[in-house]
Amino acid sequence: MTPRNIDQNASKNVRQTIAADKAASTEDLPPAGQYIDKMPPDKALAAMLANQAHAITAVEAGLDSIHSAAVAAHQRLCQSDRGRLLYSGAGTSARIGVQDGAELPPTFNWPHHRVGFLIAGGEAALLRAVENAEDNADAAAAAVADAAVGPHDVVIGLAASGRTVFTASALRAARQAGAVTIGIANNPDTAVLAVADHPILLATGGEIIAGSTRLQAGTAQKICLNLLSNMIMVMMGFVVDGMMAEMVPTNEKLRHRRRQIDARLKRD
């Protein structure tokens, strides 16, 4: 059901604009008719929602690449009980990666020592922007070396622009170290895709607020990681009969869920 205040014409216009220009860059300006600061709030929200909705279309177009990456990651992680899933990025992309990776241990009981992060600017950059951190290729190579990335690991690099120096450099160094590398970007023909074993293009195009890739580009990245990491965990055997068979109960709600899961698995 369409919410009462959503302007369907605004939504339709945005979808048509996006469909007409699939090669749009994440930095492109929106059409003059879609300047949300010139719209009343209800129409601006409708336009923003339509813009966000295109993230699903972009992920759908990249589904084959996501499948290939998930299979390759699963195969590598099965080879060693110390193989890790590491996420690399800067800014919004780094934060999206950290959110995905941090949820694997409680959700699937994936060992904490088998997940890691290579963040431009370090952990402090998750809460506050660190000037020029994303442009530091040497820091990326050092982060890969310090983490002792090797042939048993899988490294996922995310960058909306696809040109982030830190992320591309981290993927390049990780690949040279023998890790399986997965590059996720929202612009085609970019370094992050070129240096990865498994490139995933999420062609979201221009944002409703020009260049603000925390919007549909970020949404597409989050959906992509949801699919990728969950599929890896399913293939690793952490899901049984559609349930989180290894879920770690850390509060009363989760303890109740744990009891329900155990009862159902025992009954079945």
Side-chain angles (χ1 to χ4, degrees):
M1 182 179 293
T2 303
R4 182 177 57 187
N5 290 329
I6 294 297
D7 187 286
Q8 295 194 34
N9 287 330
S11 300
K12 181 179 179 181
N13 289 342
V14 173
R15 287 195 297 270
Q16 289 175 338
T17 299
I18 293 169
D21 188 8
K22 294 182 180 179
S25 164
T26 55
E27 298 296 323
D28 286 352
L29 288 170
Q34 298 300 325
Y35 292 167
I36 65 168
D37 52 309
K38 310 299 183 190
M39 300 178 186
D42 58 340
K43 292 187 177 181
L45 284 170
M48 226 183 299
L49 176 59
N51 185 248
Q52 287 277 293
H54 181 59
I56 293 285
T57 305
V59 175
E60 185 177 18
L63 202 54
D64 286 345
S65 298
I66 297 170
H67 169 253
S68 297
V71 170
H74 169 250
Q75 291 174 344
R76 181 60 57 90
L77 293 170
C78 282
Q79 291 177 5
S80 168
D81 61 5
R82 62 192 184 97
R84 295 168 296 173
L85 193 58
L86 300 107
Y87 299 75
S88 180
T92 296
S93 294
R95 297 179 185 103
I96 292 171
V98 168
Q99 180 184 5
D100 191 78
E103 291 179 349
L104 298 181
T107 305
F108 301 107
N109 203 18
W110 182 249
H112 285 277
H113 70 272
R114 297 190 69 181
V115 63
F117 307 99
L118 308 168
I119 304 166
E123 290 186 8
L126 294 175
L127 298 178
R128 187 185 298 268
V130 176
E131 188 174 359
N132 297 319
E134 72 171 52
D135 300 321
N136 196 329
D138 292 339
V144 170
D146 290 345
V149 174
H152 46 281
D153 294 322
V154 176
V155 177
I156 303 172
L158 303 101
S161 69
R163 298 186 296 272
T164 303
V165 173
F166 182 95
T167 309
S169 298
L171 285 171
R172 186 180 295 108
R175 189 175 184 180
Q176 290 172 348
V180 169
T181 54
I182 301 168
I184 301 172
N186 299 86
N187 286 328
D189 305 318
T190 47
V192 165
L193 299 178
V195 301
D197 296 310
H198 298 277
I200 299 174
L201 172 62
L202 306 174
T204 45
E207 300 284 359
I208 198 70
I209 299 176
S212 182
T213 51
R214 63 186 290 267
L215 296 172
Q216 67 172 338
T219 299
Q221 288 182 4
K222 182 64 172 71
I223 296 170
C224 179
L225 287 183
N226 282 346
L227 298 179
L228 185 60
S229 64
N230 278 280
M231 193 68 254
I232 293 169
M233 294 297 115
V234 169
M235 289 188 288
M236 294 292 288
F238 292 103
V239 175
V240 177
D241 293 343
M243 292 180 286
M244 298 176 286
E246 303 296 329
M247 183 267 293
V248 179
T250 56
N251 56 49
E252 184 52 40
K253 178 189 73 176
L254 295 181
R255 285 189 285 272
H256 176 68
R257 183 180 297 165
R258 175 78 270 170
R259 289 191 292 270
Q260 288 183 316
I261 291 172
D262 290 343
R264 288 169 180 164
L265 290 178
K266 184 177 180 180
R267 182 172 62 246
D268 293 341

